[in-house]
mmCIF file with all atom_site columns, all heavy atoms in Angstrom:
data_model
loop_
_atom_site.group_PDB
_atom_site.id
_atom_site.type_symbol
_atom_site.label_atom_id
_atom_site.label_alt_id
_atom_site.label_comp_id
_atom_site.label_asym_id
_atom_site.label_entity_id
_atom_site.label_seq_id
_atom_site.pdbx_PDB_ins_code
_atom_site.Cartn_x
_atom_site.Cartn_y
_atom_site.Cartn_z
_atom_site.occupancy
_atom_site.B_iso_or_equiv
_atom_site.pdbx_formal_charge
_atom_site.auth_seq_id
_atom_site.auth_comp_id
_atom_site.auth_asym_id
_atom_site.auth_atom_id
_atom_site.pdbx_PDB_model_num
ATOM 1  N N   . ILE A 1 7  ? 3.207  -10.864 4.337  1.00 97.00 ? 208 ILE A N   1
ATOM 2  C CA  . ILE A 1 7  ? 2.492  -10.634 3.088  1.00 97.00 ? 208 ILE A CA  1
ATOM 3  C C   . ILE A 1 7  ? 3.339  -10.920 1.849  1.00 97.00 ? 208 ILE A C   1
ATOM 4  O O   . ILE A 1 7  ? 2.787  -11.161 0.780  1.00 97.00 ? 208 ILE A O   1
ATOM 5  C CB  . ILE A 1 7  ? 1.902  -9.212  3.028  1.00 97.00 ? 208 ILE A CB  1
ATOM 6  C CG1 . ILE A 1 7  ? 2.967  -8.152  3.272  1.00 97.00 ? 208 ILE A CG1 1
ATOM 7  C CG2 . ILE A 1 7  ? 0.757  -9.065  4.015  1.00 97.00 ? 208 ILE A CG2 1
ATOM 8  C CD1 . ILE A 1 7  ? 2.477  -6.732  3.075  1.00 97.00 ? 208 ILE A CD1 1
ATOM 9  N N   . THR A 1 8  ? 4.646  -10.879 1.981  1.00 97.00 ? 209 THR A N   1
ATOM 10 C CA  . THR A 1 8  ? 5.525  -11.179 0.851  1.00 97.00 ? 209 THR A CA  1
ATOM 11 C C   . THR A 1 8  ? 6.959  -11.215 1.341  1.00 97.00 ? 209 THR A C   1
ATOM 12 O O   . THR A 1 8  ? 7.212  -11.145 2.547  1.00 97.00 ? 209 THR A O   1
ATOM 13 C CB  . THR A 1 8  ? 5.347  -10.143 -0.296 1.00 97.00 ? 209 THR A CB  1
ATOM 14 O OG1 . THR A 1 8  ? 5.948  -10.643 -1.484 1.00 97.00 ? 209 THR A OG1 1
ATOM 15 C CG2 . THR A 1 8  ? 5.930  -8.797  0.064  1.00 97.00 ? 209 THR A CG2 1
ATOM 16 N N   . GLU A 1 9  ? 7.888  -11.301 0.403  1.00 98.00 ? 210 GLU A N   1
ATOM 17 C CA  . GLU A 1 9  ? 9.309  -11.216 0.716  1.00 98.00 ? 210 GLU A CA  1
ATOM 18 C C   . GLU A 1 9  ? 9.879  -9.973  0.044  1.00 98.00 ? 210 GLU A C   1
ATOM 19 O O   . GLU A 1 9  ? 9.361  -9.522  -0.989 1.00 98.00 ? 210 GLU A O   1
ATOM 20 C CB  . GLU A 1 9  ? 10.039 -12.473 0.245  1.00 98.00 ? 210 GLU A CB  1
ATOM 21 C CG  . GLU A 1 9  ? 9.613  -13.702 1.016  1.00 98.00 ? 210 GLU A CG  1
ATOM 22 C CD  . GLU A 1 9  ? 10.418 -14.948 0.646  1.00 98.00 ? 210 GLU A CD  1
ATOM 23 O OE1 . GLU A 1 9  ? 11.274 -14.879 -0.260 1.00 98.00 ? 210 GLU A OE1 1
ATOM 24 O OE2 . GLU A 1 9  ? 10.165 -15.982 1.271  1.00 98.00 ? 210 GLU A OE2 1
ATOM 25 N N   . THR A 1 10 ? 10.939 -9.428  0.615  1.00 98.00 ? 211 THR A N   1
ATOM 26 C CA  . THR A 1 10 ? 11.501 -8.172  0.113  1.00 98.00 ? 211 THR A CA  1
ATOM 27 C C   . THR A 1 10 ? 11.870 -8.255  -1.365 1.00 98.00 ? 211 THR A C   1
ATOM 28 O O   . THR A 1 10 ? 11.682 -7.294  -2.106 1.00 98.00 ? 211 THR A O   1
ATOM 29 C CB  . THR A 1 10 ? 12.737 -7.760  0.929  1.00 98.00 ? 211 THR A CB  1
ATOM 30 O OG1 . THR A 1 10 ? 13.682 -8.832  0.932  1.00 98.00 ? 211 THR A OG1 1
ATOM 31 C CG2 . THR A 1 10 ? 12.366 -7.400  2.358  1.00 98.00 ? 211 THR A CG2 1
ATOM 32 N N   . LYS A 1 11 ? 12.347 -9.389  -1.829 1.00 97.00 ? 212 LYS A N   1
ATOM 33 C CA  . LYS A 1 11 ? 12.777 -9.534  -3.226 1.00 97.00 ? 212 LYS A CA  1
ATOM 34 C C   . LYS A 1 11 ? 11.620 -9.441  -4.222 1.00 97.00 ? 212 LYS A C   1
ATOM 35 O O   . LYS A 1 11 ? 11.837 -9.242  -5.414 1.00 97.00 ? 212 LYS A O   1
ATOM 36 C CB  . LYS A 1 11 ? 13.516 -10.857 -3.426 1.00 97.00 ? 212 LYS A CB  1
ATOM 37 C CG  . LYS A 1 11 ? 12.636 -12.078 -3.239 1.00 97.00 ? 212 LYS A CG  1
ATOM 38 C CD  . LYS A 1 11 ? 13.402 -13.372 -3.385 1.00 97.00 ? 212 LYS A CD  1
ATOM 39 C CE  . LYS A 1 11 ? 12.477 -14.553 -3.148 1.00 97.00 ? 212 LYS A CE  1
ATOM 40 N NZ  . LYS A 1 11 ? 13.203 -15.810 -3.160 1.00 97.00 ? 212 LYS A NZ  1
ATOM 41 N N   . GLU A 1 12 ? 10.385 -9.562  -3.736 1.00 97.00 ? 213 GLU A N   1
ATOM 42 C CA  . GLU A 1 12 ? 9.212  -9.546  -4.611 1.00 97.00 ? 213 GLU A CA  1
ATOM 43 C C   . GLU A 1 12 ? 8.743  -8.138  -4.992 1.00 97.00 ? 213 GLU A C   1
ATOM 44 O O   . GLU A 1 12 ? 7.900  -7.989  -5.886 1.00 97.00 ? 213 GLU A O   1
ATOM 45 C CB  . GLU A 1 12 ? 8.047  -10.294 -3.949 1.00 97.00 ? 213 GLU A CB  1
ATOM 46 C CG  . GLU A 1 12 ? 8.332  -11.752 -3.676 1.00 97.00 ? 213 GLU A CG  1
ATOM 47 C CD  . GLU A 1 12 ? 8.561  -12.565 -4.939 1.00 97.00 ? 213 GLU A CD  1
ATOM 48 O OE1 . GLU A 1 12 ? 7.848  -12.339 -5.933 1.00 97.00 ? 213 GLU A OE1 1
ATOM 49 O OE2 . GLU A 1 12 ? 9.480  -13.405 -4.934 1.00 97.00 ? 213 GLU A OE2 1
ATOM 50 N N   . VAL A 1 13 ? 9.277  -7.104  -4.316 1.00 98.00 ? 214 VAL A N   1
ATOM 51 C CA  . VAL A 1 13 ? 8.852  -5.732  -4.591 1.00 98.00 ? 214 VAL A CA  1
ATOM 52 C C   . VAL A 1 13 ? 10.105 -4.870  -4.740 1.00 98.00 ? 214 VAL A C   1
ATOM 53 O O   . VAL A 1 13 ? 10.712 -4.464  -3.743 1.00 98.00 ? 214 VAL A O   1
ATOM 54 C CB  . VAL A 1 13 ? 7.936  -5.173  -3.475 1.00 98.00 ? 214 VAL A CB  1
ATOM 55 C CG1 . VAL A 1 13 ? 7.362  -3.819  -3.879 1.00 98.00 ? 214 VAL A CG1 1
ATOM 56 C CG2 . VAL A 1 13 ? 6.807  -6.140  -3.153 1.00 98.00 ? 214 VAL A CG2 1
#
Side-chain angles (χ1 to χ4, degrees):
I208 54 174
T209 195
E210 293 185 357
T211 55
K212 66 182 178 185
E213 299 296 320
V214 188

